Amino acid sequence: MERWFDYLCPDSIYLGTGEPMLFGGSAIREHFKGFEGRAVDVVSEEYYPVPLGETAAQVCGQIAVRSRHNQLGAVNCFTIGWRLIGGELKMVHQHNSYEYTQPDIEGERSILKMDMNTTRFVRNLLLEQPVGRRIAFPSGNQTVYVNPYTILYAKSRDKRTELVCVDRVVSCNYIYRELKERLPEVFYPLRRGYLVNTLYIVALRRFEAELISGISIPIPALTYTQVKRDLQELIEKK
């Protein structure tokens, strides 16, 4: 932790999943001083620097890790702002967004790998969609506002639904039927309990649909022919 602390300064701000908003290097140090890490292996890491002038830069990226003791993992998407202050490099803003992952279930791979090609695909797709339209979804004791075109797919989870988005996973209080009524017509019931955003489908293979970056969702054999016909109609219409 000391190595990270060395880059903090009075102007530092930290935002992270499950953490309070922290202002100033002293507050960040105090909050994390007792932190003990866990042994993990880095599965993948990506960094994209963006110059902001002669004395500042922003670095965006993603690090995926897996525990050495079990199959649980985590993906950390981050944005860090750096600035030269008094000739020293300091971190003035850090935003971490964590998503914890589990082994593949029923062949589903739900982690979106935001490589450069995927980032361009998502950006171009969103630029083509209506601007500013967001939907309010009840989530626990709060309301979250989500652009429906950032949702890859939604699935039923007990008496709730889960929205798997480009940048996060949102647990929603709506049951499947209620959610279906609120989503745009680009969403298709690929299988029982699943609504898939057809804009993100890149390939259809026997008994599964592939979304961007290799996300794969199985299709029941009994409905595959009908699903294939429906998707062809929907996608060619766009």
Side-chain angles (χ1 to χ4, degrees):
M1 300 300 289
E2 292 302 323
R3 188 173 178 184
W4 178 46
F5 289 162
D6 285 344
Y7 290 108
L8 301 178
C9 68
D11 293 334
S12 298
I13 298 172
Y14 180 87
L15 303 167
T17 302
E19 304 287 350
M21 191 179 297
L22 301 169
F23 296 91
S26 297
I28 298 172
R29 285 188 191 92
E30 183 64 25
H31 181 77
F32 286 103
K33 67 180 181 182
F35 175 81
E36 293 183 6
R38 297 181 182 179
V40 297
D41 291 314
V42 176
V43 178
S44 65
E45 51 187 330
E46 298 177 43
Y47 305 91
Y48 300 105
V50 181
L52 300 176
E54 295 294 326
T55 61
Q58 187 178 74
V59 180
C60 305
Q62 174 178 287
I63 300 177
V65 299
R66 179 166 292 151
S67 170
R68 292 179 183 174
H69 304 297
N70 51 49
Q71 290 301 303
L72 295 179
V75 179
N76 174 26
C77 298
F78 61 86
T79 302
I80 302 177
W82 298 94
R83 199 165 72 220
L84 281 174
I85 300 176
E88 293 186 342
L89 186 64
K90 295 296 180 182
M91 186 204 80
V92 292
H93 178 269
Q94 181 168 352
H95 183 192
N96 288 344
S97 177
Y98 294 98
E99 177 188 343
Y100 294 94
T101 63
Q102 293 184 343
D104 297 346
I105 299 173
E106 296 179 356
E108 175 189 328
R109 298 183 296 279
S110 62
I111 302 174
L112 179 61
K113 300 175 183 176
M114 288 292 282
D115 56 27
M116 191 57 77
N117 288 333
T118 302
T119 302
R120 289 196 189 103
F121 183 102
V122 173
R123 182 194 62 198
N124 293 338
L125 178 61
L126 294 179
L127 286 174
E128 294 173 3
Q129 306 311 319
V131 177
R133 189 195 165 200
R134 291 186 295 168
I135 300 177
F137 294 104
S139 178
N141 58 2
Q142 64 179 345
T143 299
V144 295
Y145 297 91
V146 179
N147 180 339
Y149 295 104
T150 66
I151 301 172
L152 298 167
Y153 63 90
K155 61 181 177 181
S156 179
R157 178 83 74 179
D158 298 324
K159 294 183 179 180
R160 302 164 65 88
T161 47
E162 195 170 81
L163 310 178
V164 179
C165 306
V166 168
D167 57 346
R168 57 180 168 160
V169 177
V170 177
S171 179
C172 177
N173 297 351
Y174 287 142
I175 60 174
Y176 179 86
R177 176 176 49 79
E178 293 173 314
L179 181 68
K180 187 177 179 182
E181 292 172 355
R182 286 164 173 79
L183 289 175
E185 60 181 14
V186 294
F187 284 84
Y188 177 80
L190 193 70
R191 56 176 295 171
R192 183 179 175 85
Y194 275 72
L195 288 168
V196 175
N197 188 337
T198 56
L199 297 173
Y200 287 105
I201 294 177
V202 295
L204 195 63
R205 293 187 289 273
R206 193 160 180 80
F207 308 139
E208 70 173 11
E210 182 183 340
L211 279 64
I212 56 172
S213 286
I215 294 174
S216 179
I217 299 179
I219 302 171
L222 288 174
T223 60
Y224 174 75
T225 302
Q226 183 62 49
V227 167
K228 184 178 180 181
R229 190 180 301 121
D230 291 346
L231 287 177
Q232 189 167 346
E233 257 180 56
L234 276 169
I235 292 170
E236 287 182 355
K237 239 189 238 182
K238 297 180 183 61

